[in-house]
Amino acid sequence: MATDAVAQLADSLAKTQVTEGELSYKGQGRKFDNAQSVEEMVKEIQEFKGLQALRLEGNTYGVEAAQAIAKALETKSEFKYCYWSDMFTGRLRSEIPPALNALGAALMTAGARLTVLDLSDNAFGPDGVKGIEKLLKSTACHTLQELRLNNCGMGIGGGKILAAALTECYKQSSAQGTPLGLKVFIAGRNRLENDGATALAQAFQLMGSLEEVHVPQNGINHPGVTALATAMQHNPQLRVLNLNDNTFTKKGAIAMAQALKHLRRVQVINFGDCLVRSEGAIAIAEAVTEGLPILKELNLSFGEITGEAALLVAQSVEGKATLEKLDLNGNCLGEEGCDDLREVMDGLNMGDLLGSLSDDEGEPEEDDDEEDDDDDDEEDDDEEDDYEEEDDVEEEEDSGVNQVSSPPSVPRPPDAASFLCFPSPDKLLKLGTKRALLFEQQVNTPCHEYLIQQTTYICPLCYADAILRKAFASPSFQGYNFVSSLLVMLGLLKSEDKVKPVRVVPGHLQALEYVVRQDYFPQDHIAVLEAFIHVQALESCSSARNILKSTLEQVRPEN
């Protein structure tokens, strides 16, 4: 009996308020398909006096269940906080809009005035945004302060719908004398790209009230970044700006640096993995030097920044009494550059604030003049074009362009490790006839991420074959992880990690077609590859793709 009493008490505590006015069903992992399945929940909502917050996250709700919950919310006029992330796992995408429509309509009927709307981790796409469109435009959202839509797959279309809804909400609320004052906007991993980001930037500029903006990993490059930079200038209370894992290049970085000069309250800047490059980093350093008096964190990691530019960034934080961390990991400093950076930070008595440099990419072997990136091409409106321009610059350098005035240098001996860090056709040829053996010797441990980098840069069949044959022979090698990472590197699969895909050429698919026919390649990986060879990204290699498709069909194991 005592055990039963404890269990009942624990169950009661899990379902009742954890803060004043809050009813929580968070993280119970339950599946609610229909009205009958939520009868108990509905009753508790109805009986809860002064309900302000409802946590539904970590369960899955069908349309009928959502409609029943919505009915119970229709009388909750004091309601403010929607914690509704991760509540449609396993549901058809078509189920989500009507469920959201019902919940939104109930809040409007109740006359609620929302402060927080969190629908993160619901893969509802553009249609899901349509499901909350009426709610966002209504008086229920005139008081909204936090909008959290992380990892919802909105896409460009959803971004535009969202921007239009926020704009309408601002206009209507302003007409009533209480303009929308959104403070926190979170929409990472939504594939907003340039058009979606630009549409949202216009809404942000109109509101001018933002304090935190988080839009990491959205496929945004310099046109979208520039639009966001312009919008940020009109949000003087901005404290946190997180655009991690988008693609600034020099043009976007300079635009963002210019915006930072207009902001005095910024505390956290996260431009990690944004390809700001050296010239962009110098511009950002100038903005930091001139302002940002209460800066706490500056992240410029994985940005292809060289040693001299990194030193200027370090010098820019001098006198920033509130600084807690400077992150310049994963750039192109080299061993000497890392030592110089540490020395500068130590000299400023800020050595303990410098983040790890363990992933430094090493000094570039060639002078990397950045003037040939996005500034030379006004039509460069997507990330793929940025990568193409980078490849063009590298090919020019390898063939001797821009090196006329340089003194002759002593040829270096063949170095496979150097090639794998900074690959180019010229370096590949200089490795001589023993290239395959040299590459195979690099596979000291079967790390699939390292192998991916090698095999996607080395298209010739014998080299990929030599590397993979050794790797797959290892009992500890994780084949599925390798295939997944390969798809990410080829741009066929999205990743949460900081991965810049290569530009796919026929050689990649030709090498893969050869490899899948070899006896060492596991047959249970064939179906994984087949699922991705139809994507639009391979249209430019249609002939090689068709050959690969045919081969996969031939080697596919019988069911």
Side-chain angles (χ1 to χ4, degrees):
M1 292 296 292
T3 303
D4 290 341
V6 171
Q8 290 175 5
L9 176 61
D11 185 61
S12 176
L13 289 172
K15 293 180 180 178
T16 56
Q17 60 199 57
V18 294
T19 61
E20 183 179 359
E22 179 178 294
L23 183 60
S24 178
Y25 299 89
K26 179 180 179 179
Q28 296 182 9
R30 300 172 63 184
K31 185 177 182 181
F32 301 103
D33 293 323
N34 49 42
Q36 183 177 0
S37 65
V38 292
E39 281 183 352
E40 183 180 353
M41 185 187 301
V42 167
K43 182 179 179 182
E44 290 173 342
I45 293 172
Q46 290 173 334
E47 294 177 352
F48 198 111
K49 303 299 182 183
L51 181 65
Q52 295 184 30
L54 178 62
R55 292 188 174 273
L56 298 176
E57 65 262 52
N59 303 291
T60 178
Y61 303 84
V63 176
E64 291 184 16
Q67 289 171 338
I69 294 170
K71 190 69 177 176
L73 290 172
E74 288 182 353
T75 60
K76 304 301 177 180
S77 60
E78 298 178 48
F79 196 78
K80 295 181 180 180
Y81 308 100
C82 301
Y83 298 111
W84 296 348
S85 63
D86 186 23
M87 57 180 285
F88 296 114
T89 300
R91 299 292 172 183
L92 296 174
R93 183 169 288 189
S94 59
E95 293 182 83
I96 301 176
L100 291 175
N101 266 318
L103 291 167
L107 298 180
M108 290 186 280
T109 299
R113 293 293 184 270
L114 297 184
T115 299
V116 176
L117 177 58
D118 185 356
L119 289 165
S120 297
D121 299 316
N122 290 309
F124 49 47
D127 290 341
V129 184
K130 292 178 182 177
I132 58 172
E133 185 177 9
K134 290 182 180 179
L135 175 63
L136 288 172
K137 292 179 178 179
S138 73
T139 56
C141 286
H142 286 187
T143 53
L144 194 63
Q145 294 184 17
E146 298 184 17
L147 180 57
R148 301 172 180 265
L149 296 169
N150 201 56
N151 190 31
C152 290
M154 291 189 290
I156 295 172
K160 289 182 176 180
I161 296 169
L162 177 61
L166 290 174
T167 300
E168 183 63 24
C169 182
Y170 178 81
K171 290 179 178 178
Q172 291 189 15
S173 59
S174 297
Q176 297 181 15
T178 55
L180 172 64
L182 190 67
K183 294 181 179 179
V184 177
F185 180 85
I186 301 176
R189 299 181 61 203
N190 270 288
R191 303 193 305 276
L192 294 172
E193 301 183 18
N194 289 330
D195 289 346
T198 300
L200 285 167
Q202 293 170 354
F204 296 162
Q205 182 169 329
L206 188 64
M207 291 185 291
S209 56
L210 288 167
E211 297 180 8
E212 293 187 28
V213 175
H214 303 261
V215 285
Q217 201 175 8
N218 266 292
I220 308 168
N221 63 12
H222 75 77
V225 171
T226 300
L228 288 169
T230 300
M232 293 306 101
Q233 295 183 38
H234 297 268
N235 287 264
Q237 303 302 314
L238 190 69
R239 294 183 294 104
V240 179
L241 184 56
N242 176 8
L243 278 83
N244 186 281
D245 200 7
N246 290 290
T247 307
F248 285 29
T249 62
K250 180 181 72 175
K251 193 169 185 178
I254 291 175
M256 195 58 73
Q258 194 62 35
L260 292 173
K261 292 181 179 181
H262 296 268
L263 302 169
R264 301 285 297 174
R265 296 180 178 270
V266 171
Q267 298 177 22
V268 177
I269 298 172
N270 187 343
F271 296 161
D273 200 27
C274 283
L275 202 66
V276 299
R277 294 203 175 109
S278 296
E279 199 161 344
I282 292 170
I284 293 171
E286 181 182 343
V288 173
T289 301
E290 294 180 3
L292 305 177
I294 57 174
L295 184 66
K296 290 185 177 180
E297 182 177 335
L298 176 58
N299 184 346
L300 296 177
S301 60
F302 299 92
E304 293 191 3
I305 301 169
T306 56
E308 292 183 5
L311 293 180
L312 290 175
V313 172
Q315 291 164 3
S316 74
V317 300
E318 182 178 6
K320 306 293 180 186
T322 56
L323 191 73
E324 298 175 359
K325 184 176 183 181
L326 172 62
D327 191 346
L328 286 165
N329 196 21
N331 284 298
C332 306
L333 311 184
E335 185 175 349
E336 185 177 345
C338 289
D339 290 341
D340 291 344
L341 181 59
R342 294 188 185 99
E343 183 178 344
V344 168
M345 291 297 287
D346 287 339
L348 299 175
N349 294 320
M350 304 173 89
D352 58 333
L353 306 183
L354 180 64
S356 169
L357 299 174
S358 60
D359 295 319
D360 186 71
E361 296 288 341
E363 251 185 296
E365 291 190 359
E366 309 284 350
D367 290 337
D368 189 5
D369 295 329
E370 298 170 5
E371 68 270 12
D372 290 327
D373 65 45
D374 47 355
D375 288 328
D376 285 346
D377 188 359
E378 293 301 325
E379 300 301 319
D380 174 6
D381 287 336
D382 59 46
E383 186 173 348
E384 181 178 343
D385 289 336
D386 279 335
Y387 297 154
E388 289 176 0
E389 289 179 11
E390 294 162 33
D391 292 340
D392 291 340
V393 172
E394 184 177 71
E395 289 171 6
E396 288 178 358
E397 292 171 345
D398 291 331
S399 61
V401 176
N402 296 330
Q403 298 178 22
V404 176
S405 60
S406 301
S409 58
V410 179
R412 296 186 180 187
D415 184 355
S418 174
F419 167 80
L420 294 170
C421 291
F422 300 97
S424 74
D426 184 58
K427 295 173 194 172
L428 180 64
L429 293 174
K430 287 180 180 178
L431 290 175
T433 58
K434 296 184 178 180
R435 303 180 192 103
L437 178 61
L438 292 172
F439 290 138
E440 186 177 348
Q441 290 172 349
Q442 294 298 311
V443 190
N444 297 320
T445 56
C447 172
H448 71 271
E449 290 91 348
Y450 182 58
L451 290 172
I452 287 295
Q453 184 185 26
Q454 297 184 44
T455 53
T456 50
Y457 281 128
I458 307 170
C459 294
L461 306 182
C462 60
Y463 312 141
D465 184 46
I467 294 169
L468 295 178
R469 183 176 295 278
K470 182 176 180 180
F472 275 104
S474 171
S476 62
F477 184 62
Q478 299 178 343
Y480 275 113
N481 287 344
F482 170 83
V483 173
S484 297
S485 297
L486 178 65
L487 294 171
V488 169
M489 183 61 84
L490 295 177
L492 308 181
L493 185 66
K494 289 284 185 180
S495 170
E496 297 181 20
D497 300 324
K498 299 176 177 179
V499 177
K500 183 175 77 174
V502 299
R503 181 158 55 98
V504 180
V505 297
H508 291 124
L509 304 185
Q510 292 165 2
L512 189 57
E513 189 272 337
Y514 175 86
V515 167
V516 299
R517 289 190 278 110
Q518 306 311 304
D519 55 2
Y520 60 78
F521 192 84
Q523 288 196 322
D524 54 359
H525 295 359
I526 299 297
V528 179
L529 294 176
E530 279 192 293
F532 287 89
I533 62 172
H534 304 285
V535 299
Q536 188 72 25
L538 299 181
E539 283 298 318
S540 61
C541 309
S542 58
S543 178
R545 182 194 62 183
N546 292 338
I547 294 173
L548 173 59
K549 176 183 176 183
S550 176
T551 299
L552 290 172
E553 291 174 351
Q554 294 172 18
V555 300
R556 182 199 303 144
E558 296 294 332
N559 294 329

